[in-house]
Structure formats: structure tokens, C-alpha cells
Amino acid sequence: MSGTVYLVGSGPGDPELLTVKAQRLLEEADVVLHDKLPGPELLGSIPADKREDVGKRAGGEWTPQEYTNRRLVELAEAGHTVVRLKGGDPFVFGRGGEEAEHLAEHGIDFEYVPGVTSAIAGPGVAGIPVTHRDHTSSVSFVTGHEDPTKDESAIDWAALADTGGTIVVLMGVGKLPMYTAELLSAGMDPETPVALVERATWPDQRIGLGTLETIVEVRDDAGIEPPAITVIGGVAATRSRVRAFLKNGPDPGDDAE
Amino acid sequence: MSGTVYLVGSGPGDPELLTVKAQRLLEEADVVLHDKLPGPELLGSIPADKREDVGKRAGGEWTPQEYTNRRLVELAEAGHTVVRLKGGDPFVFGRGGEEAEHLAEHGIDFEYVPGVTSAIAGPGVAGIPVTHRDHTSSVSFVTGHEDPTKDESAIDWAALADTGGTIVVLMGVGKLPMYTAELLSAGMDPETPVALVERATWPDQRIGLGTLETIVEVRDDAGIEPPAITVIGGVAATRSRVRAFLKNGPDPGDDAE
């Protein structure tokens, strides 16, 4: 009798942003397969003897997705209740869809347990709503880390600019110069507000604020590094209007601008 | 000494999908301002004497946003700890941004507490990842309920089609014929998979599956009604590949197709 695999979102890192269901499943699980994305505080709260790290390995290499897929099937076939803990939500740029398909192909029961995505909570804790009636009717999420086996970017930045909606880029610190240039040449206003949220909801979270034209300089001056989220659009200016009364950290005086 | 207002996301409706923090704040709050979106099960778990419904009123009218804004300030100024409980995440099509700005303008401390958004969890519990390496590098969220004071739709459906990414429409049952037609005339493939997820994560959740060309008929035959989420894109076909092993309800045999 095979066990069940739970594809569980951990949320953005603050352990209090786990769902009640994720917290229960972490207690009930025999094994928790995870990478580094759930963050040190949350991982530290899981007993070490039931954790298996399938993220970066000793030699600095990444565990191939095929290994994780195989390991999930192996553990379930051995009758274990398995939690596959993923940063944010399992189905947002997390390869959770591939894991679900692999489990179904191998006849393993699985359940999806959604999590708070940092794509929304990251901007949010900085006081930035990804949608706002006065600014935008849509929001698009893209990843700065695309499939490295693809020859060229599958992201149509000009089409994203044309939507007129907020654009949120996950893992987009490194390629910031590339896509801000693409958006500018697609005709987006150079004065469009842009925010960077580094290590969203973690104790050492930092925020950078600028425009499509200035944000690369803000990043460089402040030394903002991955993991961080980029928010592009009118909504990014909300932080400066609300931060004096916003109780989510960090201190507004520390903003890089 | 004014109290603090917590803008709290309730998640999609399943009480176990509250965050640990939201659960704690609901217990600690003096007053909980809510509408119907968090769902009957979750609202029923909050003591009636600290709930204030700012959703639909007795006469069938909606409470104006101005009333909610004013009431939040009033309660905080009276020294209360206030939870403003919102369906999903407060900053996704929830007017949470407007409430945050109103609080800041009136000098009231507030905190944003993210929630699981039904825009991602709704497709997810149906076995549909909003992103997938094989299908899409982006996902866009739009609302089918736009500001009624606006003369025309601010949504550029053709630009959304051009992104090549998944499109998720919240509250989009009523206008389904309009926007499927717009996407078709923008050149989107009529065979593009489309899924409807009605009352996502609620006990009576239902799912409809079709294509850009057939989904209106599927909706009409099955009588799918609001609230529901529409998912447009290759990822929508994932459900039929995984549902036999997916433990999230409902029974795959009940799918409308």
C-alpha cells in the first residue's frame, strides 16, 4: 500500500505564513523533501531526522529534478507519508506541475496544498498591492530564471508591456538590466515606478525603489542580491505613500532609493 | 492611543488554508470586518459577537467602500485591534490597496497579512499548475469584475493573448462569452484548453473542462455559476492527466466536459 505525497507550499519564509494545513502535514509526515527556498527559520523548525535536502548538494551542484521525482515515488512506494515542501506555492514557477505528472504516471496518490506565494506577499509586505483599481486591471508573473536548456527567452516583454498591467518578476535580480531595457524599448514609460524586494518576509528583508530608468543603479548601489522580487508598474509607488504607517518590516528609513 | 488594523487574507475558503498568523490574529482581534468571500465555514468559526459584515446588506445593496474605510479608522481610533478579513489575499483584486492608503492618510498603523490566493489555489486544487516549464513562462491574472464606473474594459485581451502565458480570470463566469470571443479574434488557438473551477476548495467545488471554443457551452450545460475561476492555456489540460491520483476533491467523474 503506497503512501501519499503532499505537494506543500511553505509560503515566503516567515514560519507564521505557513497554512494551518501545511503545519499539520509537516507534523504528520514521515519524510519532508525540501530545498533551501522555504528559508532557514522554517526548515529549522522541522526535526532533522525527517528532513531530506534535495536542493544544492555538498559539491555545489543542484540535485537533478529527475532524482527528486524518483525519490518521491520510491518513498511513497515504501509506504511513507511524504511532504514535498516547496517555497511559496508549489504550482508557481516551482516545477510542482512536473512532480504531479510524474506521480500520476507512477500511480502514486498526491495532494496539492497551496501556499502563500512570494510573488504577491513579497510586494505586499513592502506595502505594494499587485493590483489597484486606480492603476491596473491585471498583473503578470514571470520568472527571471528560465529553463537553461532553451535557446532564447520565451518571455515576450513587449507583450507584457502592452497589457498595461503590473509586471512581477521572480528571481529577476540578475537579469534586471536586460528586461528593463526590453521594456523601455517596447515603449514603456521610463518614469514607471519599480520596486525590488529582497528576501521578502525574512528578518533581513530589504527594499529598493526607483523607476524603469533608475532601478539598475539602485540595485547596484545598494548591492541587492537574489532572492528578490521585482515589481514594475504604478502600484510600486504605493510604498512611499503608506510606509510611515506600515507595520511590516523593514524600517522605511532603510529603503534604497 | 489608536489600535492597529490588520489587512488579513483568509485564503480561498477552506479554514485549514488560513495562515497560522491569520488564525492567531482572528483570535486576538477585538473586531473582524468581513464580507462573504471568506466563505461560510470560515466565518462560522469566528465568534458572532466580534464579526461585522461589510458585504451585502439586508436590502441587497453593497456596503460602499467609503463606509468600510471610515469604519476601519473609527474602530482603530477607538483603540480596537481590528482584523479586516478579505477573501484570498488582501492585495489581489481586493481593494486592500485602497484601504491601506486610506489608513495611512488617517495616521492609522496597519499590517498586511498575505493569504493563499484563489487565483492560484483554485486552479491548483483542480490539478492545474498556473505555470509549467513545458507550456508557459508567465501567468497573468485579470478580473472579470472591473470598476463599474469605467466606461470600457481596461483589459487588453489581445495583449494578454500575445504574452503566450496562462491567463487566469477571477470572477469571470458572467463575461466568459465576451472574453473568449476577444481572445479568439486576437488569434488565440480555438483548441486552447480552458478550465472553470467553481467554488474552489469549498465542499461543493465543481470543475468544467473544455477549449476556448467549447467552454461557454460547457458552462451553460453544467450551470456553472459565480464564484468561479477561469484558466486559459496549455496548463488547463493537466487536470485530465493527473486527476485519477489527485486527492483534492471533487471526484473526477463529476467533471463537466
Side-chain angles (χ1 to χ4, degrees):
Chain A
M1 178 84 184
S2 292
T4 297
V5 174
Y6 295 88
L7 301 172
V8 177
S10 72
D14 175 349
E16 264 210 302
L17 295 180
L18 269 180
T19 62
V20 173
K21 185 166 186 172
Q23 198 179 49
R24 172 174 63 80
L25 290 169
L26 284 172
E27 279 163 24
E28 291 174 4
D30 300 315
V31 192
V32 178
L33 254 69
H34 66 88
D35 50 38
K36 296 282 182 287
L37 282 175
E41 212 180 336
L42 207 158
L43 292 172
S45 71
I46 303 165
D49 63 357
K50 66 177 182 186
R51 270 195 274 133
E52 259 189 51
D53 190 344
V54 288
K56 207 171 266 189
R57 298 162 95 178
E61 291 161 61
W62 289 92
T63 308
Q65 183 64 41
E66 292 67 28
Y67 171 82
T68 304
N69 289 351
R70 206 163 56 230
R71 187 70 183 136
L72 288 171
V73 170
E74 192 175 80
L75 288 165
E77 285 180 342
H80 294 302
T81 298
V82 184
V83 163
R84 170 70 176 112
L85 189 68
K86 302 177 82 75
D89 181 276
F91 281 170
V92 177
F93 302 120
R95 306 192 71 171
E98 292 167 69
E99 290 173 12
E101 287 183 310
H102 185 83
L103 292 166
E105 279 160 21
H106 289 78
I108 304 292
D109 285 345
F110 72 96
E111 188 174 331
Y112 157 81
V113 182
V116 168
T117 178
S118 53
I120 294 165
V125 293
I128 299 168
V130 290
T131 68
H132 192 298
R133 291 222 304 186
D134 295 345
H135 302 290
T136 172
S137 299
S138 71
V139 54
S140 300
F141 298 100
V142 296
T143 175
H145 271 190
E146 287 186 88
D147 185 344
T149 64
K150 284 180 188 164
D151 280 345
E152 50 184 89
S153 173
I155 297 170
D156 186 336
W157 294 97
L160 287 169
D162 283 348
T163 66
T166 307
I167 302 171
V168 177
V169 188
L170 279 82
M171 300 178 282
V173 179
K175 291 192 175 157
L176 187 69
M178 179 278 287
Y179 60 82
T180 49
E182 290 230 29
L183 291 170
L184 284 168
S185 64
M188 196 179 253
D189 185 349
E191 298 297 315
T192 304
V194 181
L196 292 169
V197 188
E198 188 187 31
R199 292 189 291 278
T201 86
W202 298 24
D204 52 352
Q205 175 182 321
R206 288 199 306 165
I207 291 161
L209 299 174
T211 65
L212 206 50
E213 212 164 29
T214 67
I215 196 69
V216 172
E217 203 181 322
V218 170
R219 176 198 70 168
D220 293 343
D221 289 350
I224 288 175
E225 291 185 351
I229 288 154
T230 314
V231 192
I232 302 162
V235 293
T238 317
R239 176 168 175 79
S240 48
R241 288 196 295 276
V242 304
R243 62 186 165 191
F245 299 95
L246 179 69
K247 294 292 109 184
N248 303 79
D251 191 307
D254 294 337
D255 286 357
E257 289 180 87
Chain B
M1 179 83 184
S2 293
T4 298
V5 174
Y6 295 89
L7 300 172
V8 177
S10 71
D14 175 349
E16 263 209 302
L17 295 179
L18 269 180
T19 62
V20 173
K21 185 166 186 172
Q23 198 178 49
R24 172 173 65 77
L25 290 169
L26 284 172
E27 279 163 24
E28 292 173 5
D30 299 315
V31 191
V32 178
L33 253 69
H34 66 88
D35 50 39
K36 295 282 182 287
L37 282 175
E41 211 179 336
L42 207 158
L43 292 173
S45 71
I46 303 165
D49 62 355
K50 66 178 182 186
R51 271 194 274 132
E52 260 190 51
D53 190 345
V54 288
K56 205 170 268 190
R57 298 163 94 178
E61 290 162 61
W62 290 93
T63 308
Q65 184 63 42
E66 291 67 30
Y67 171 82
T68 305
N69 289 352
R70 204 165 55 230
R71 186 70 183 137
L72 288 171
V73 170
E74 191 174 80
L75 288 164
E77 285 180 342
H80 295 300
T81 298
V82 184
V83 164
R84 170 69 176 112
L85 189 68
K86 302 178 81 77
D89 182 276
F91 281 171
V92 177
F93 301 122
R95 308 192 68 171
E98 292 166 71
E99 291 174 11
E101 287 182 311
H102 186 83
L103 292 167
E105 279 161 20
H106 289 77
I108 304 292
D109 285 346
F110 72 98
E111 187 174 331
Y112 157 81
V113 182
V116 168
T117 177
S118 54
I120 293 165
V125 293
I128 300 169
V130 291
T131 69
H132 191 299
R133 290 224 302 186
D134 296 345
H135 302 292
T136 172
S137 299
S138 70
V139 53
S140 300
F141 299 100
V142 296
T143 176
H145 272 189
E146 288 184 88
D147 185 344
T149 62
K150 283 180 188 164
D151 280 346
E152 50 185 270
S153 174
I155 297 170
D156 186 337
W157 294 97
L160 288 169
D162 283 347
T163 66
T166 307
I167 302 170
V168 177
V169 188
L170 280 83
M171 300 177 283
V173 180
K175 290 191 175 160
L176 187 68
M178 179 278 286
Y179 60 82
T180 50
E182 290 230 29
L183 292 169
L184 285 168
S185 64
M188 195 178 254
D189 185 349
E191 298 298 314
T192 304
V194 181
L196 292 169
V197 187
E198 188 188 30
R199 292 188 292 276
T201 87
W202 297 24
D204 51 353
Q205 175 181 323
R206 288 199 306 166
I207 291 161
L209 298 175
T211 65
L212 206 50
E213 214 165 26
T214 68
I215 196 69
V216 173
E217 204 181 321
V218 169
R219 176 197 71 168
D220 293 343
D221 289 351
I224 289 173
E225 291 183 351
I229 289 154
T230 313
V231 191
I232 301 162
V235 293
T238 317
R239 175 166 175 80
S240 48
R241 288 197 295 276
V242 304
R243 62 186 164 189
F245 299 95
L246 179 69
K247 295 292 108 184
N248 302 80
D251 190 308
D254 294 336
D255 285 357
E257 288 181 88

